[in-house]
Amino acid sequence: PQAEKMTAQGRHAWAFFNQTQNFINPLFDALSGRTLAPAILLPLVTICENIEAREYVRANEWYMKLAIGNSAWPMGVTSVGIHERAATEAIFCGKVAHILNNETQRKYIQGVKRLMTQAQVLFPTDPSKSVW
């Protein structure tokens, strides 16, 4: 309703919607042009299938795999002396998830997460299958 759009909360929701739409448009362009990387396409398909089945926990697990991957992340201090651990180089070299390297990909993956959250609000399921 028009009256709801005029409230501060309504304007915020409208701005959020427009931002999400702008974030997701490059994804649609990549899909229609068949230029989306297979490393992104497979998790996105799995996320969509799980959302359709209202398996939001599984969809969120696939989102996390897509967003941050399985790479090692430094926890706390990574260098405490003159000797460096052998595995420390694996933390900082080529195992960074692709989403962190490309701003456009990061934005449309964030848009997918927003759509996941909205789907969970509009199509609720058992609490054991929900992510809150």
Side-chain angles (χ1 to χ4, degrees):
Q2 189 65 26
E4 189 176 323
K5 285 183 184 178
M6 301 308 287
T7 66
Q9 187 177 5
R11 286 192 307 270
H12 178 72
W14 183 252
F16 201 69
F17 168 78
N18 282 331
Q19 184 184 45
T20 303
Q21 188 175 19
N22 290 334
F23 282 2
I24 225 96
N25 279 336
L27 175 63
F28 291 143
D29 293 341
L31 287 169
S32 65
R34 296 181 182 260
T35 59
L36 192 64
I40 297 173
L41 183 61
L42 176 65
L44 278 178
V45 168
T46 308
I47 288 169
C48 291
E49 288 171 348
N50 282 312
I51 290 172
E52 191 174 20
R54 296 186 184 180
E55 294 283 346
Y56 301 116
V57 172
R58 287 189 186 147
N60 193 56
E61 288 171 3
W62 275 96
Y63 167 77
M64 291 301 216
K65 287 179 186 176
L66 177 62
I68 61 175
N70 293 327
S71 61
W73 288 81
M75 299 294 289
V77 179
T78 59
S79 179
V80 294
I82 60 170
H83 301 291
E84 199 169 308
R85 285 184 21 220
T88 306
E89 64 202 27
I91 293 172
F92 297 107
C93 70
K95 290 191 176 183
V96 178
H98 45 78
I99 190 172
L100 302 175
N101 294 334
N102 187 325
E103 187 71 14
T104 304
Q105 288 177 350
R106 184 193 64 76
K107 285 181 178 181
Y108 65 66
I109 299 299
Q110 182 180 4
V112 168
K113 176 60 174 163
R114 289 179 180 179
L115 293 175
M116 285 172 51
T117 303
Q118 190 63 30
Q120 189 172 341
V121 171
L122 295 175
F123 307 106
T125 187
D126 296 334
S128 64
K129 296 180 180 180
S130 298
V131 178
W132 293 107

